[in-house]
PDB file of all heavy atoms in Angstrom:
ATOM      1  N   GLN A  12       0.872  -1.184  -0.006  1.00  0.00           N
ATOM      2  CA  GLN A  12      -0.012  -0.010  -0.006  1.00  0.00           C
ATOM      3  C   GLN A  12       0.896   1.262  -0.004  1.00  0.00           C
ATOM      4  O   GLN A  12       1.855   1.271   0.782  1.00  0.00           O
ATOM      5  CB  GLN A  12      -0.911   0.036   1.244  1.00  0.00           C
ATOM      6  CG  GLN A  12      -1.965  -1.070   1.255  1.00  0.00           C
ATOM      7  CD  GLN A  12      -2.971  -0.849   2.334  1.00  0.00           C
ATOM      8  OE1 GLN A  12      -3.602   0.184   2.424  1.00  0.00           O
ATOM      9  NE2 GLN A  12      -3.133  -1.811   3.192  1.00  0.00           N
ATOM     10  N   VAL A  13       0.547   2.208  -0.865  1.00  0.00           N
ATOM     11  CA  VAL A  13       1.370   3.432  -0.948  1.00  0.00           C
ATOM     12  C   VAL A  13       0.452   4.637  -0.790  1.00  0.00           C
ATOM     13  O   VAL A  13      -0.694   4.633  -1.161  1.00  0.00           O
ATOM     14  CB  VAL A  13       2.138   3.491  -2.263  1.00  0.00           C
ATOM     15  CG1 VAL A  13       3.178   2.405  -2.393  1.00  0.00           C
ATOM     16  CG2 VAL A  13       1.186   3.435  -3.462  1.00  0.00           C
ATOM     17  N   ALA A  14       1.035   5.705  -0.222  1.00  0.00           N
ATOM     18  CA  ALA A  14       0.396   6.991  -0.095  1.00  0.00           C
ATOM     19  C   ALA A  14       1.414   8.073  -0.384  1.00  0.00           C
ATOM     20  O   ALA A  14       2.630   7.947  -0.016  1.00  0.00           O
ATOM     21  CB  ALA A  14      -0.201   7.167   1.266  1.00  0.00           C
ATOM     22  N   GLU A  15       0.962   9.122  -1.070  1.00  0.00           N
ATOM     23  CA  GLU A  15       1.920  10.151  -1.472  1.00  0.00           C
ATOM     24  C   GLU A  15       1.568  11.490  -0.885  1.00  0.00           C
ATOM     25  O   GLU A  15       0.366  11.822  -0.725  1.00  0.00           O
ATOM     26  CB  GLU A  15       1.898  10.256  -3.000  1.00  0.00           C
ATOM     27  CG  GLU A  15       3.034  11.082  -3.622  1.00  0.00           C
ATOM     28  CD  GLU A  15       3.074  10.942  -5.114  1.00  0.00           C
ATOM     29  OE1 GLU A  15       2.818   9.818  -5.606  1.00  0.00           O
ATOM     30  OE2 GLU A  15       3.430  11.941  -5.761  1.00  0.00           O
ATOM     31  N   GLY A  16       2.577  12.278  -0.538  1.00  0.00           N
ATOM     32  CA  GLY A  16       2.316  13.592   0.047  1.00  0.00           C
ATOM     33  C   GLY A  16       3.614  14.451   0.125  1.00  0.00           C
ATOM     34  O   GLY A  16       4.603  14.132  -0.550  1.00  0.00           O
ATOM     35  N   ASP A  17       3.530  15.471   0.976  1.00  0.00           N
ATOM     36  CA  ASP A  17       4.626  16.403   1.098  1.00  0.00           C
ATOM     37  C   ASP A  17       5.005  16.541   2.583  1.00  0.00           C
ATOM     38  O   ASP A  17       4.089  16.669   3.433  1.00  0.00           O
ATOM     39  CB  ASP A  17       4.224  17.778   0.524  1.00  0.00           C
ATOM     40  CG  ASP A  17       5.332  18.832   0.652  1.00  0.00           C
ATOM     41  OD1 ASP A  17       5.427  19.421   1.740  1.00  0.00           O
ATOM     42  OD2 ASP A  17       6.055  18.984  -0.307  1.00  0.00           O
ATOM     43  N   ILE A  18       6.282  16.550   2.892  1.00  0.00           N
ATOM     44  CA  ILE A  18       6.769  16.754   4.288  1.00  0.00           C
ATOM     45  C   ILE A  18       7.890  17.802   4.183  1.00  0.00           C
ATOM     46  O   ILE A  18       8.918  17.551   3.623  1.00  0.00           O
ATOM     47  CB  ILE A  18       7.315  15.464   4.911  1.00  0.00           C
ATOM     48  CG1 ILE A  18       6.197  14.423   5.026  1.00  0.00           C
ATOM     49  CG2 ILE A  18       7.882  15.762   6.286  1.00  0.00           C
ATOM     50  CD1 ILE A  18       6.651  13.114   5.659  1.00  0.00           C
ATOM     51  N   GLY A  19       7.619  18.952   4.786  1.00  0.00           N
ATOM     52  CA  GLY A  19       8.647  20.017   4.828  1.00  0.00           C
ATOM     53  C   GLY A  19       9.099  20.466   3.466  1.00  0.00           C
ATOM     54  O   GLY A  19      10.271  20.809   3.297  1.00  0.00           O
ATOM     55  N   GLY A  20       8.233  20.422   2.435  1.00  0.00           N
ATOM     56  CA  GLY A  20       8.617  20.823   1.097  1.00  0.00           C
ATOM     57  C   GLY A  20       9.219  19.748   0.262  1.00  0.00           C
ATOM     58  O   GLY A  20       9.531  20.016  -0.902  1.00  0.00           O
ATOM     59  N   SER A  21       9.344  18.531   0.806  1.00  0.00           N
ATOM     60  CA  SER A  21       9.897  17.395   0.023  1.00  0.00           C
ATOM     61  C   SER A  21       8.811  16.418  -0.331  1.00  0.00           C
ATOM     62  O   SER A  21       7.922  16.133   0.479  1.00  0.00           O
ATOM     63  CB  SER A  21      10.996  16.677   0.827  1.00  0.00           C
ATOM     64  OG  SER A  21      12.079  17.523   1.056  1.00  0.00           O
ATOM     65  N   LYS A  22       8.815  15.929  -1.553  1.00  0.00           N
ATOM     66  CA  LYS A  22       7.875  14.927  -1.993  1.00  0.00           C
ATOM     67  C   LYS A  22       8.233  13.588  -1.321  1.00  0.00           C
ATOM     68  O   LYS A  22       9.387  13.155  -1.404  1.00  0.00           O
ATOM     69  CB  LYS A  22       7.864  14.782  -3.505  1.00  0.00           C
ATOM     70  CG  LYS A  22       6.691  14.062  -4.086  1.00  0.00           C
ATOM     71  CD  LYS A  22       6.689  14.159  -5.605  1.00  0.00           C
ATOM     72  CE  LYS A  22       5.453  13.428  -6.186  1.00  0.00           C
ATOM     73  NZ  LYS A  22       5.451  13.481  -7.672  1.00  0.00           N
ATOM     74  N   VAL A  23       7.228  12.951  -0.701  1.00  0.00           N
ATOM     75  CA  VAL A  23       7.489  11.706   0.049  1.00  0.00           C
ATOM     76  C   VAL A  23       6.429  10.649  -0.342  1.00  0.00           C
ATOM     77  O   VAL A  23       5.278  10.927  -0.416  1.00  0.00           O
ATOM     78  CB  VAL A  23       7.473  11.957   1.554  1.00  0.00           C
ATOM     79  CG1 VAL A  23       7.645  10.651   2.316  1.00  0.00           C
ATOM     80  CG2 VAL A  23       8.519  12.977   1.963  1.00  0.00           C
ATOM     81  N   LEU A  24       6.939   9.424  -0.544  1.00  0.00           N
ATOM     82  CA  LEU A  24       6.090   8.277  -0.773  1.00  0.00           C
ATOM     83  C   LEU A  24       6.233   7.390   0.444  1.00  0.00           C
ATOM     84  O   LEU A  24       7.298   7.030   0.879  1.00  0.00           O
ATOM     85  CB  LEU A  24       6.472   7.554  -2.036  1.00  0.00           C
ATOM     86  CG  LEU A  24       5.526   6.472  -2.571  1.00  0.00           C
ATOM     87  CD1 LEU A  24       4.295   7.128  -3.165  1.00  0.00           C
ATOM     88  CD2 LEU A  24       6.195   5.608  -3.618  1.00  0.00           C
ATOM     89  N   VAL A  25       5.092   6.979   1.057  1.00  0.00           N
ATOM     90  CA  VAL A  25       5.078   6.076   2.217  1.00  0.00           C
ATOM     91  C   VAL A  25       4.574   4.707   1.707  1.00  0.00           C
ATOM     92  O   VAL A  25       3.575   4.607   1.015  1.00  0.00           O
ATOM     93  CB  VAL A  25       4.220   6.589   3.345  1.00  0.00           C
ATOM     94  CG1 VAL A  25       4.102   5.542   4.467  1.00  0.00           C
ATOM     95  CG2 VAL A  25       4.795   7.901   3.913  1.00  0.00           C
ATOM     96  N   LEU A  26       5.286   3.661   2.077  1.00  0.00           N
ATOM     97  CA  LEU A  26       4.996   2.331   1.631  1.00  0.00           C
ATOM     98  C   LEU A  26       4.839   1.387   2.819  1.00  0.00           C
ATOM     99  O   LEU A  26       5.664   1.403   3.733  1.00  0.00           O
ATOM    100  CB  LEU A  26       6.154   1.799   0.746  1.00  0.00           C
ATOM    101  CG  LEU A  26       6.130   0.299   0.396  1.00  0.00           C
ATOM    102  CD1 LEU A  26       4.940  -0.047  -0.521  1.00  0.00           C
ATOM    103  CD2 LEU A  26       7.452  -0.134  -0.235  1.00  0.00           C
ATOM    104  N   LYS A  27       3.783   0.519   2.756  1.00  0.00           N
ATOM    105  CA  LYS A  27       3.590  -0.594   3.688  1.00  0.00           C
ATOM    106  C   LYS A  27       3.599  -1.862   2.834  1.00  0.00           C
ATOM    107  O   LYS A  27       2.553  -2.159   2.237  1.00  0.00           O
ATOM    108  CB  LYS A  27       2.314  -0.440   4.472  1.00  0.00           C
ATOM    109  CG  LYS A  27       2.253   0.769   5.394  1.00  0.00           C
ATOM    110  CD  LYS A  27       1.071   0.678   6.392  1.00  0.00           C
ATOM    111  CE  LYS A  27      -0.260   0.723   5.698  1.00  0.00           C
ATOM    112  NZ  LYS A  27      -1.410   0.736   6.669  1.00  0.00           N
ATOM    113  N   PRO A  28       4.704  -2.598   2.771  1.00  0.00           N
ATOM    114  CA  PRO A  28       4.714  -3.829   2.001  1.00  0.00           C
ATOM    115  C   PRO A  28       3.734  -4.866   2.501  1.00  0.00           C
ATOM    116  O   PRO A  28       3.547  -4.980   3.724  1.00  0.00           O
ATOM    117  CB  PRO A  28       6.177  -4.327   2.152  1.00  0.00           C
ATOM    118  CG  PRO A  28       6.974  -3.114   2.557  1.00  0.00           C
ATOM    119  CD  PRO A  28       5.987  -2.306   3.384  1.00  0.00           C
ATOM    120  N   GLU A  29       3.061  -5.536   1.612  1.00  0.00           N
ATOM    121  CA  GLU A  29       2.074  -6.564   1.989  1.00  0.00           C
ATOM    122  C   GLU A  29       2.544  -7.936   1.559  1.00  0.00           C
ATOM    123  O   GLU A  29       1.711  -8.803   1.336  1.00  0.00           O
ATOM    124  CB  GLU A  29       0.691  -6.192   1.431  1.00  0.00           C
ATOM    125  CG  GLU A  29       0.109  -4.913   2.059  1.00  0.00           C
ATOM    126  CD  GLU A  29      -1.351  -4.749   1.711  1.00  0.00           C
ATOM    127  OE1 GLU A  29      -1.701  -4.972   0.516  1.00  0.00           O
ATOM    128  OE2 GLU A  29      -2.156  -4.402   2.599  1.00  0.00           O
ATOM    129  N   THR A  30       3.810  -8.161   1.465  1.00  0.00           N
ATOM    130  CA  THR A  30       4.419  -9.385   1.043  1.00  0.00           C
ATOM    131  C   THR A  30       4.665 -10.311   2.276  1.00  0.00           C
ATOM    132  O   THR A  30       5.249 -11.365   2.087  1.00  0.00           O
ATOM    133  CB  THR A  30       5.745  -9.145   0.369  1.00  0.00           C
ATOM    134  OG1 THR A  30       6.575  -8.360   1.244  1.00  0.00           O
ATOM    135  CG2 THR A  30       5.539  -8.402  -0.937  1.00  0.00           C
ATOM    136  N   PHE A  31       4.303  -9.798   3.449  1.00  0.00           N
ATOM    137  CA  PHE A  31       4.730 -10.365   4.752  1.00  0.00           C
ATOM    138  C   PHE A  31       6.202  -9.997   4.921  1.00  0.00           C
ATOM    139  O   PHE A  31       6.968  -9.717   4.014  1.00  0.00           O
ATOM    140  CB  PHE A  31       4.527 -11.898   4.849  1.00  0.00           C
ATOM    141  CG  PHE A  31       3.091 -12.267   5.062  1.00  0.00           C
ATOM    142  CD1 PHE A  31       2.226 -12.563   3.980  1.00  0.00           C
ATOM    143  CD2 PHE A  31       2.528 -12.224   6.339  1.00  0.00           C
ATOM    144  CE1 PHE A  31       0.941 -12.835   4.169  1.00  0.00           C
ATOM    145  CE2 PHE A  31       1.203 -12.505   6.564  1.00  0.00           C
ATOM    146  CZ  PHE A  31       0.357 -12.829   5.443  1.00  0.00           C
ATOM    147  N   MET A  32       6.565  -9.918   6.214  1.00  0.00           N
ATOM    148  CA  MET A  32       7.836  -9.328   6.638  1.00  0.00           C
ATOM    149  C   MET A  32       9.036  -9.909   5.881  1.00  0.00           C
ATOM    150  O   MET A  32       9.907  -9.152   5.448  1.00  0.00           O
ATOM    151  CB  MET A  32       8.022  -9.496   8.122  1.00  0.00           C
ATOM    152  CG  MET A  32       9.207  -8.851   8.711  1.00  0.00           C
ATOM    153  SD  MET A  32       9.092  -7.039   8.735  1.00  0.00           S
ATOM    154  CE  MET A  32       8.056  -6.785  10.169  1.00  0.00           C
ATOM    155  N   ASN A  33       9.083 -11.243   5.783  1.00  0.00           N
ATOM    156  CA  ASN A  33      10.294 -11.875   5.207  1.00  0.00           C
ATOM    157  C   ASN A  33      10.585 -11.526   3.775  1.00  0.00           C
ATOM    158  O   ASN A  33      11.666 -11.786   3.291  1.00  0.00           O
ATOM    159  CB  ASN A  33      10.167 -13.406   5.364  1.00  0.00           C
ATOM    160  CG  ASN A  33      10.146 -13.830   6.811  1.00  0.00           C
ATOM    161  OD1 ASN A  33      10.116 -13.021   7.684  1.00  0.00           O
ATOM    162  ND2 ASN A  33      10.180 -15.129   7.029  1.00  0.00           N
ATOM    163  N   LEU A  34       9.565 -10.983   3.049  1.00  0.00           N
ATOM    164  CA  LEU A  34       9.725 -10.658   1.607  1.00  0.00           C
ATOM    165  C   LEU A  34       9.569  -9.169   1.349  1.00  0.00           C
ATOM    166  O   LEU A  34       9.299  -8.787   0.215  1.00  0.00           O
ATOM    167  CB  LEU A  34       8.734 -11.460   0.801  1.00  0.00           C
ATOM    168  CG  LEU A  34       8.834 -13.006   0.900  1.00  0.00           C
ATOM    169  CD1 LEU A  34       7.678 -13.658   0.104  1.00  0.00           C
ATOM    170  CD2 LEU A  34      10.146 -13.509   0.433  1.00  0.00           C
ATOM    171  N   SER A  35       9.784  -8.327   2.362  1.00  0.00           N
ATOM    172  CA  SER A  35       9.574  -6.904   2.261  1.00  0.00           C
ATOM    173  C   SER A  35      10.381  -6.285   1.113  1.00  0.00           C
ATOM    174  O   SER A  35       9.959  -5.354   0.452  1.00  0.00           O
ATOM    175  CB  SER A  35       9.917  -6.222   3.557  1.00  0.00           C
ATOM    176  OG  SER A  35       9.073  -6.623   4.612  1.00  0.00           O
ATOM    177  N   GLY A  36      11.556  -6.827   0.886  1.00  0.00           N
ATOM    178  CA  GLY A  36      12.485  -6.249  -0.125  1.00  0.00           C
ATOM    179  C   GLY A  36      11.920  -6.301  -1.525  1.00  0.00           C
ATOM    180  O   GLY A  36      12.252  -5.477  -2.372  1.00  0.00           O
ATOM    181  N   GLN A  37      11.013  -7.239  -1.811  1.00  0.00           N
ATOM    182  CA  GLN A  37      10.437  -7.354  -3.136  1.00  0.00           C
ATOM    183  C   GLN A  37       9.619  -6.124  -3.447  1.00  0.00           C
ATOM    184  O   GLN A  37       9.677  -5.528  -4.545  1.00  0.00           O
ATOM    185  CB  GLN A  37       9.567  -8.610  -3.247  1.00  0.00           C
ATOM    186  CG  GLN A  37      10.331  -9.927  -3.169  1.00  0.00           C
ATOM    187  CD  GLN A  37       9.404 -11.116  -3.278  1.00  0.00           C
ATOM    188  OE1 GLN A  37       8.197 -10.988  -3.490  1.00  0.00           O
ATOM    189  NE2 GLN A  37      10.001 -12.323  -3.098  1.00  0.00           N
ATOM    190  N   SER A  38       8.794  -5.716  -2.463  1.00  0.00           N
ATOM    191  CA  SER A  38       7.911  -4.589  -2.639  1.00  0.00           C
ATOM    192  C   SER A  38       8.738  -3.302  -2.696  1.00  0.00           C
ATOM    193  O   SER A  38       8.538  -2.408  -3.566  1.00  0.00           O
ATOM    194  CB  SER A  38       6.917  -4.484  -1.446  1.00  0.00           C
ATOM    195  OG  SER A  38       6.157  -3.306  -1.513  1.00  0.00           O
ATOM    196  N   VAL A  39       9.724  -3.154  -1.809  1.00  0.00           N
ATOM    197  CA  VAL A  39      10.576  -1.921  -1.785  1.00  0.00           C
ATOM    198  C   VAL A  39      11.334  -1.821  -3.097  1.00  0.00           C
ATOM    199  O   VAL A  39      11.425  -0.713  -3.679  1.00  0.00           O
ATOM    200  CB  VAL A  39      11.550  -1.979  -0.604  1.00  0.00           C
ATOM    201  CG1 VAL A  39      12.486  -0.796  -0.606  1.00  0.00           C
ATOM    202  CG2 VAL A  39      10.789  -1.985   0.718  1.00  0.00           C
ATOM    203  N   GLY A  40      11.857  -2.908  -3.603  1.00  0.00           N
ATOM    204  CA  GLY A  40      12.608  -2.902  -4.873  1.00  0.00           C
ATOM    205  C   GLY A  40      11.769  -2.430  -6.025  1.00  0.00           C
ATOM    206  O   GLY A  40      12.247  -1.683  -6.900  1.00  0.00           O
ATOM    207  N   GLU A  41      10.526  -2.840  -6.110  1.00  0.00           N
ATOM    208  CA  GLU A  41       9.624  -2.379  -7.178  1.00  0.00           C
ATOM    209  C   GLU A  41       9.454  -0.882  -7.163  1.00  0.00           C
ATOM    210  O   GLU A  41       9.477  -0.247  -8.213  1.00  0.00           O
ATOM    211  CB  GLU A  41       8.292  -3.087  -7.071  1.00  0.00           C
ATOM    212  CG  GLU A  41       8.279  -4.559  -7.539  1.00  0.00           C
ATOM    213  CD  GLU A  41       6.892  -5.081  -7.696  1.00  0.00           C
ATOM    214  OE1 GLU A  41       5.960  -4.278  -7.972  1.00  0.00           O
ATOM    215  OE2 GLU A  41       6.713  -6.342  -7.638  1.00  0.00           O
ATOM    216  N   VAL A  42       9.295  -0.350  -5.976  1.00  0.00           N
ATOM    217  CA  VAL A  42       9.085   1.123  -5.852  1.00  0.00           C
ATOM    218  C   VAL A  42      10.341   1.831  -6.293  1.00  0.00           C
ATOM    219  O   VAL A  42      10.279   2.859  -7.056  1.00  0.00           O
ATOM    220  CB  VAL A  42       8.706   1.512  -4.421  1.00  0.00           C
ATOM    221  CG1 VAL A  42       8.639   3.054  -4.303  1.00  0.00           C
ATOM    222  CG2 VAL A  42       7.382   0.905  -4.011  1.00  0.00           C
ATOM    223  N   LEU A  43      11.495   1.420  -5.862  1.00  0.00           N
ATOM    224  CA  LEU A  43      12.762   2.095  -6.195  1.00  0.00           C
ATOM    225  C   LEU A  43      12.995   2.059  -7.698  1.00  0.00           C
ATOM    226  O   LEU A  43      13.421   3.089  -8.286  1.00  0.00           O
ATOM    227  CB  LEU A  43      13.899   1.416  -5.474  1.00  0.00           C
ATOM    228  CG  LEU A  43      13.942   1.441  -3.950  1.00  0.00           C
ATOM    229  CD1 LEU A  43      15.262   0.907  -3.422  1.00  0.00           C
ATOM    230  CD2 LEU A  43      13.723   2.880  -3.435  1.00  0.00           C
TER     231      LEU A  43
END
């Protein structure tokens, strides 16, 4: 799940991977 916004003038994307903890890197890698 992703949400997008602004913090202190910087564009920020917040991510909660739903792959379960052990596979979190798969989700993070796709975003990057």
Side-chain angles (χ1 to χ4, degrees):
Q12 292 191 55
V13 293
E15 192 171 325
D17 179 276
I18 298 179
S21 297
K22 193 173 183 180
V23 177
L24 192 72
V25 174
L26 168 70
K27 295 192 297 183
E29 293 192 316
T30 54
F31 285 94
M32 186 71 78
N33 294 6
L34 301 175
S35 298
Q37 294 180 4
S38 175
V39 177
E41 284 194 24
V42 176
L43 296 188

